[in-house]
Amino acid sequence: MYGNFQKYLSDELAAIKEAGLYKAERNIASPQSAEITLEDGSKALNFCANNYLGLADNPRLIKAARDIMSERGYGMASVRFICGTQDLHKKLEKAISEYFHTEDTILYASCFDANGGLFEPLLDASDAIISDSLNHASIIDGVRLCKAQRFRYANADMEDLERCLKEAQNCRHRLICTDGVFSMDGNVAPMDKICALAEKYDALVVVDESHSAGVVGPRGRGVAEQYGCYGRIDVHTGTLGKAFGGSVGGFTTGRKEIIEMLRQRSRPYLFSNSLPPMIVAAALETFKILDESDALHDKLLENVEYFRNAMMAAGFDIKPTQSAICAVMLYDAPLSQRFAARIAEEGIFVTGFYYPVVPKGQARIRVQLSAAHEREHLDRAIAAFVKVGKELGVLK
Ligand SMILES: *Cc1c(COP(=O)(O)O)cnc(C)c1O
């Protein structure tokens, strides 16, 4: 009986390709790093991974994972509350709480799950969720799973947030939710202002630190450190899949009663498998490394500054940001795709984004910097940008 459905899918897939929205994958045959090897043996410089601190192939993390696997085995074969908790999980939750200066932490299989399981256990139809319009898909899905009333404010627009807070004043509880760093522009949410409005209008504050943790703030501790908001943010969610080693895993960290309630009622925690010991041990090593020294974060900041300055000096139009995401504005959608394809031929991997991922007429190349990049990698990328920029008439 598959025939009709197969035709429907084939037509849909053809339409996706027709619209130029088909996502092809690059098959990498090396560890994730600044320089990667592809299946065909060719090499490329990688400027599109979330490997902000360059930890994805760090020897200490690899050793920690390997050692613990010999001692504690491969998998947990259980959810946390049945028989899937080792002392290691509790240690990692403690390490994350210390890193963010929070009271308690709960681990998930991913940040997608952390966000998916956050709202429904805490809020019901008498409450309000006030969400930034550019929040991550996992927040949008998490909000959909919850019966609370929904309010949406324009990206990082504090007047619009205040309007929502006023409209939601009759609700029992209000909760503001924002990404810490927005992945398309690389802009940082104005946490000091968000916290001030939350205090004025009696609302909780949730921030997803996936792109901000390890990156933003004087020591990379995220938006609370950046804006001096310790104690004013109720919940942070985050991933172990970006700056913190680039593997898998997510967490929610914050007020202890909130975390306690999530352990009782959060469905992705209750009904999905526990993180394997190797991931937990490597994540523990990650927080140890970050506690010992700020060298990786310092290097990331230097790389961001060097790259941005060189690109602006070359004449590119760069969005002003304080994160490791650098948006090179081209505005024209077909141009962004041609640019990304041409610069890939030069051995530089970046991502071209255009509508509907970004607003119409706002097409761009997104460059993600990493502590794994050496000066020579940055110089090669900048030279390729200039070459392709001249070729395609972006630069004079
Ligand atoms: C990447 C990302 C996620 C998903 O993280 P995973 O751990 O890979 O599921 C969630 N929220 C934001 C803002 C992200 O950037």
Side-chain angles (χ1 to χ4, degrees):
M1 303 321 296
Y2 184 48
N4 278 338
F5 193 66
Q6 183 182 35
K7 177 161 186 337
Y8 159 75
L9 289 183
S10 303
D11 291 349
E12 284 291 301
L13 287 164
I16 294 172
K17 281 183 187 155
E18 189 79 15
L21 296 174
Y22 195 83
K23 296 174 195 67
E25 296 176 2
R26 295 159 165 148
N27 295 340
I28 299 171
S30 68
Q32 184 66 276
S33 190
E35 184 151 31
I36 50 178
T37 308
L38 304 184
E39 212 178 12
D40 66 4
S42 65
K43 287 189 187 304
L45 293 184
N46 194 356
F47 285 85
C48 55
N50 303 309
N51 187 22
Y52 294 126
L53 296 176
L55 288 170
D57 63 344
N58 183 283
R60 281 178 62 179
L61 304 200
I62 295 167
K63 182 171 187 311
R66 188 182 278 144
D67 288 353
I68 209 74
M69 197 152 48
S70 326
E71 190 191 313
R72 296 292 182 84
Y74 173 64
M76 291 307 302
S78 173
V79 299
R80 282 289 297 276
F81 84 97
I82 296 182
C83 57
T85 301
Q86 289 183 339
D87 52 346
L88 291 172
H89 293 90
K90 300 310 290 181
K91 274 190 194 155
L92 178 57
E93 287 173 344
K94 188 155 173 284
I96 293 173
S97 305
E98 279 165 10
Y99 186 89
F100 286 97
H101 298 221
T102 45
E103 290 175 351
D104 199 5
T105 300
I106 175 174
L107 295 173
Y108 288 88
S110 68
C111 186
F112 207 104
D113 277 351
N115 288 332
L118 175 63
F119 305 100
E120 185 263 342
L122 300 177
L123 305 172
D124 69 24
S126 56
D127 303 315
I129 300 174
I130 304 169
S131 188
D132 189 289
S133 62
L134 290 190
N135 277 346
H136 190 260
S138 55
I139 295 176
I140 295 168
D141 285 9
V143 170
R144 278 185 190 147
L145 293 170
C146 171
K147 295 202 166 58
Q149 293 175 52
R150 300 168 199 168
F151 297 83
R152 211 169 82 122
Y153 62 97
N155 177 233
D157 181 332
M158 294 299 99
E159 272 176 38
D160 208 27
L161 170 57
E162 186 158 19
R163 169 190 64 79
C164 293
L165 283 162
K166 282 180 182 156
E167 283 176 24
Q169 274 311 288
N170 291 332
C171 295
R172 181 183 60 169
H173 304 300
R174 283 151 294 286
L175 181 153
I176 303 167
C177 187
T178 180
D179 279 12
V181 162
F182 297 92
S183 63
M184 289 300 141
D185 285 6
N187 56 316
V188 187
M191 285 321 296
D192 50 346
K193 300 198 177 86
I194 291 173
C195 289
L197 282 171
E199 283 147 19
K200 182 168 172 193
Y201 292 97
D202 186 20
L204 296 161
V205 176
V206 172
V207 57
D208 180 337
E209 298 252 29
S210 291
H211 283 287
S212 49
V215 175
V216 164
R219 298 188 65 209
R221 296 306 197 255
V223 290
E225 188 196 36
Q226 169 83 8
Y227 286 100
C229 291
Y230 283 122
R232 298 170 78 192
I233 296 170
D234 302 286
V235 173
H236 310 246
T237 62
T239 180
L240 301 175
K242 291 182 174 127
F244 297 148
S247 180
V248 292
F251 57 85
T252 299
T253 188
R255 309 269 185 216
K256 61 180 190 300
E257 297 81 5
I258 295 178
I259 304 304
E260 197 178 348
M261 185 56 82
L262 294 176
R263 281 194 214 282
Q264 298 306 310
R265 298 227 175 116
S266 181
R267 294 164 70 84
Y269 183 79
L270 294 172
F271 300 109
S272 189
N273 216 35
S274 184
L275 284 176
M278 60 183 162
I279 301 288
V280 181
L284 272 166
E285 192 67 18
T286 296
F287 288 100
K288 209 166 144 202
I289 290 172
L290 299 183
D291 198 38
E292 282 165 14
S293 151
D294 292 338
L296 293 173
H297 180 251
D298 293 347
K299 187 168 171 206
L300 173 63
L301 289 197
E302 267 170 41
N303 284 350
V304 170
E305 183 147 317
Y306 182 82
F307 182 82
R308 288 170 45 81
N309 288 345
M311 290 288 283
M312 285 192 285
F316 284 104
D317 179 359
I318 308 285
K319 284 251 179 195
T321 70
Q322 308 139 283
S323 68
I325 291 168
C326 179
V328 183
M329 300 305 294
L330 298 176
Y331 302 100
D332 180 66
L335 176 62
S336 70
Q337 296 311 290
R338 275 212 308 282
F339 202 108
R342 257 305 282 133
I343 201 163
E345 289 169 8
E346 298 290 320
I348 309 294
F349 280 0
V350 294
T351 326
F353 287 114
Y354 60 100
Y355 182 81
V357 181
V358 295
K360 275 210 170 97
Q362 292 283 310
R364 69 198 59 187
I365 299 287
R366 182 176 74 177
V367 179
Q368 291 175 284
L369 282 310
S370 166
H373 294 131
E374 300 302 338
R375 192 53 63 87
E376 173 244 346
H377 299 135
L378 302 176
D379 286 336
R380 271 160 65 194
I382 294 156
F385 263 98
V386 169
K387 179 176 174 190
V388 175
K390 285 186 175 152
E391 206 178 285
L392 298 181
V394 177
L395 295 180
K396 301 281 169 304

